[in-house]
Amino acid sequence: MKFLRSLSDRWPFIALSLATTAIVLWAGLIVRSVFEPQTAIQTNVSSSAGPSSTPLPSWIKTAPPLVAPLPQQSVPTLAPTATPTAPAAKSPPPKVQPSAISRNSLPQARYGHLPYAEHLPENLVSIGTYGQGSNQRTESLDKEAAAAFEQMVADAKASGVRIIPISGFRTITDQEKLFERQIKRQGSPEAASRLSAPAGYSEHHTGYALDVGDGNHPEKDLKFEFEETAAYKWMVDRAQTYGFELSFPNNNVQGVSFEPWHWRYVKSGRAAAIFSVAHALQGGSASGNAAMDDLQ
Ligand SMILES: [Zn+2]
């Protein structure tokens, strides 16, 4: 009884303390709801750094981004570096290369003639003889070009056209003598270069170029009149099929005199590589020659 009486006496105090506890708990909930979401949003914004649509998020929504942005960030960072680099590396070559070839290579030219390496003699094979008696000489070409030339000569012969080899492979030393002789005839290296190449700049020492004539018109050998022969006309129409093209057509970009007799073989990979710079230069030339037009 004593206990109950004291309890009833103390009831106001008990009620007051219970009310105080309730207020404190309630206040604590308010403080939590005000401050905790803000810290969560801050981490969300700073980690995602993206377009933050922040419709007062619940804590469940804001908590995962701490983990999620890591893969999100790592993917975009990897992708941009990979994607722009790939096209950047791919696209320049087709654009840059052709112009770079002509620009960088033209200064290497001498009087318009391009430099070439001398062919390895062991790959050369005979393509026939030219001249008579003591002046007769054997001409040769690289075996790939020689095979194509012989086939072309045989097919032309079947049509009644006689294509003959005048001059095939020539060493750089041979070319040096030839060019010196041409300088004496023409008066200057500049004038000589219109008709002949300086040593080291002739297509003849590649083993893939040759001068041809018409067997029925030897008087037109190495003359512009060769253009009027059946052999020349036949070659303009058909030589490309066998892999031959005119090196110096009319108004060629190299500024070399028109040489209807001088042809080069370009069908094999090696031959095409050797004459790739010349091809790049031809790309800008306006040639009326059918064989050249097809290469542009
Ligand atoms: Zn020639």
Side-chain angles (χ1 to χ4, degrees), residues 167 170 204 210-211 259 261-262:
S167 183
R170 217 181 276 156
H204 281 278
L210 83 164
D211 300 330
E259 292 189 4
W261 56 84
H262 182 106

PDB file of all heavy atoms in Angstrom, residues 167 170 204 210-211 259 261-262, ligand 1:
ATOM      1  N   SER A 167      65.858  -1.757-125.195  1.00  0.00           N
ATOM      2  CA  SER A 167      66.720  -1.584-124.034  1.00  0.00           C
ATOM      3  C   SER A 167      65.952  -1.941-122.765  1.00  0.00           C
ATOM      4  O   SER A 167      64.907  -1.349-122.496  1.00  0.00           O
ATOM      5  CB  SER A 167      67.195  -0.124-123.967  1.00  0.00           C
ATOM      6  OG  SER A 167      68.078   0.047-122.890  1.00  0.00           O
ATOM      7  N   ARG A 170      69.491  -1.749-117.193  1.00  0.00           N
ATOM      8  CA  ARG A 170      70.705  -0.961-117.386  1.00  0.00           C
ATOM      9  C   ARG A 170      71.284  -0.671-116.013  1.00  0.00           C
ATOM     10  O   ARG A 170      70.521  -0.308-115.100  1.00  0.00           O
ATOM     11  CB  ARG A 170      70.291   0.356-118.037  1.00  0.00           C
ATOM     12  CG  ARG A 170      71.216   0.918-119.059  1.00  0.00           C
ATOM     13  CD  ARG A 170      70.633   2.235-119.562  1.00  0.00           C
ATOM     14  NE  ARG A 170      69.653   2.092-120.615  1.00  0.00           N
ATOM     15  CZ  ARG A 170      68.710   2.995-120.886  1.00  0.00           C
ATOM     16  NH1 ARG A 170      68.586   4.083-120.158  1.00  0.00           N
ATOM     17  NH2 ARG A 170      67.883   2.811-121.879  1.00  0.00           N
ATOM     18  N   HIS A 204      65.188   2.158-115.694  1.00  0.00           N
ATOM     19  CA  HIS A 204      65.833   1.001-116.326  1.00  0.00           C
ATOM     20  C   HIS A 204      66.623   0.147-115.334  1.00  0.00           C
ATOM     21  O   HIS A 204      66.720  -1.058-115.508  1.00  0.00           O
ATOM     22  CB  HIS A 204      66.746   1.473-117.461  1.00  0.00           C
ATOM     23  CG  HIS A 204      65.986   1.798-118.716  1.00  0.00           C
ATOM     24  ND1 HIS A 204      65.594   0.837-119.631  1.00  0.00           N
ATOM     25  CD2 HIS A 204      65.540   2.985-119.205  1.00  0.00           C
ATOM     26  CE1 HIS A 204      64.937   1.407-120.636  1.00  0.00           C
ATOM     27  NE2 HIS A 204      64.893   2.731-120.403  1.00  0.00           N
ATOM     28  N   LEU A 210      61.416  -0.966-119.794  1.00  0.00           N
ATOM     29  CA  LEU A 210      62.140  -1.202-121.043  1.00  0.00           C
ATOM     30  C   LEU A 210      61.662  -0.279-122.155  1.00  0.00           C
ATOM     31  O   LEU A 210      60.564   0.282-122.089  1.00  0.00           O
ATOM     32  CB  LEU A 210      62.007  -2.658-121.488  1.00  0.00           C
ATOM     33  CG  LEU A 210      60.757  -3.102-122.283  1.00  0.00           C
ATOM     34  CD1 LEU A 210      61.018  -4.451-122.936  1.00  0.00           C
ATOM     35  CD2 LEU A 210      59.521  -3.146-121.406  1.00  0.00           C
ATOM     36  N   ASP A 211      62.530  -0.119-123.147  1.00  0.00           N
ATOM     37  CA  ASP A 211      62.171   0.608-124.360  1.00  0.00           C
ATOM     38  C   ASP A 211      61.846  -0.431-125.418  1.00  0.00           C
ATOM     39  O   ASP A 211      62.559  -1.432-125.542  1.00  0.00           O
ATOM     40  CB  ASP A 211      63.359   1.467-124.836  1.00  0.00           C
ATOM     41  CG  ASP A 211      63.771   2.487-123.792  1.00  0.00           C
ATOM     42  OD1 ASP A 211      62.900   2.941-123.024  1.00  0.00           O
ATOM     43  OD2 ASP A 211      64.982   2.825-123.738  1.00  0.00           O
ATOM     44  N   GLU A 259      57.606   9.821-123.953  1.00  0.00           N
ATOM     45  CA  GLU A 259      58.407   8.702-124.447  1.00  0.00           C
ATOM     46  C   GLU A 259      57.490   7.530-124.785  1.00  0.00           C
ATOM     47  O   GLU A 259      57.218   6.676-123.942  1.00  0.00           O
ATOM     48  CB  GLU A 259      59.449   8.260-123.403  1.00  0.00           C
ATOM     49  CG  GLU A 259      60.539   9.293-123.182  1.00  0.00           C
ATOM     50  CD  GLU A 259      61.679   8.763-122.305  1.00  0.00           C
ATOM     51  OE1 GLU A 259      61.660   7.573-121.933  1.00  0.00           O
ATOM     52  OE2 GLU A 259      62.572   9.555-121.996  1.00  0.00           O
ATOM     53  N   TRP A 261      58.017   4.977-126.364  1.00  0.00           N
ATOM     54  CA  TRP A 261      58.729   3.687-126.386  1.00  0.00           C
ATOM     55  C   TRP A 261      59.044   3.126-125.003  1.00  0.00           C
ATOM     56  O   TRP A 261      59.412   1.984-124.852  1.00  0.00           O
ATOM     57  CB  TRP A 261      60.054   3.840-127.168  1.00  0.00           C
ATOM     58  CG  TRP A 261      60.932   4.933-126.597  1.00  0.00           C
ATOM     59  CD1 TRP A 261      61.787   4.807-125.550  1.00  0.00           C
ATOM     60  CD2 TRP A 261      61.009   6.286-127.021  1.00  0.00           C
ATOM     61  NE1 TRP A 261      62.400   6.006-125.283  1.00  0.00           N
ATOM     62  CE2 TRP A 261      61.940   6.944-126.183  1.00  0.00           C
ATOM     63  CE3 TRP A 261      60.383   7.034-128.036  1.00  0.00           C
ATOM     64  CZ2 TRP A 261      62.253   8.297-126.327  1.00  0.00           C
ATOM     65  CZ3 TRP A 261      60.702   8.379-128.162  1.00  0.00           C
ATOM     66  CH2 TRP A 261      61.630   9.001-127.315  1.00  0.00           C
ATOM     67  N   HIS A 262      58.928   3.967-123.965  1.00  0.00           N
ATOM     68  CA  HIS A 262      59.369   3.559-122.628  1.00  0.00           C
ATOM     69  C   HIS A 262      58.187   3.085-121.762  1.00  0.00           C
ATOM     70  O   HIS A 262      57.303   3.864-121.419  1.00  0.00           O
ATOM     71  CB  HIS A 262      60.094   4.731-121.950  1.00  0.00           C
ATOM     72  CG  HIS A 262      60.634   4.399-120.592  1.00  0.00           C
ATOM     73  ND1 HIS A 262      61.988   4.204-120.356  1.00  0.00           N
ATOM     74  CD2 HIS A 262      60.009   4.225-119.402  1.00  0.00           C
ATOM     75  CE1 HIS A 262      62.159   3.930-119.061  1.00  0.00           C
ATOM     76  NE2 HIS A 262      60.975   3.942-118.460  1.00  0.00           N
TER      77      HIS A 262
HETATM   78 ZN    ZN B   1      63.713   4.072-121.487  1.00  0.00          ZN
END
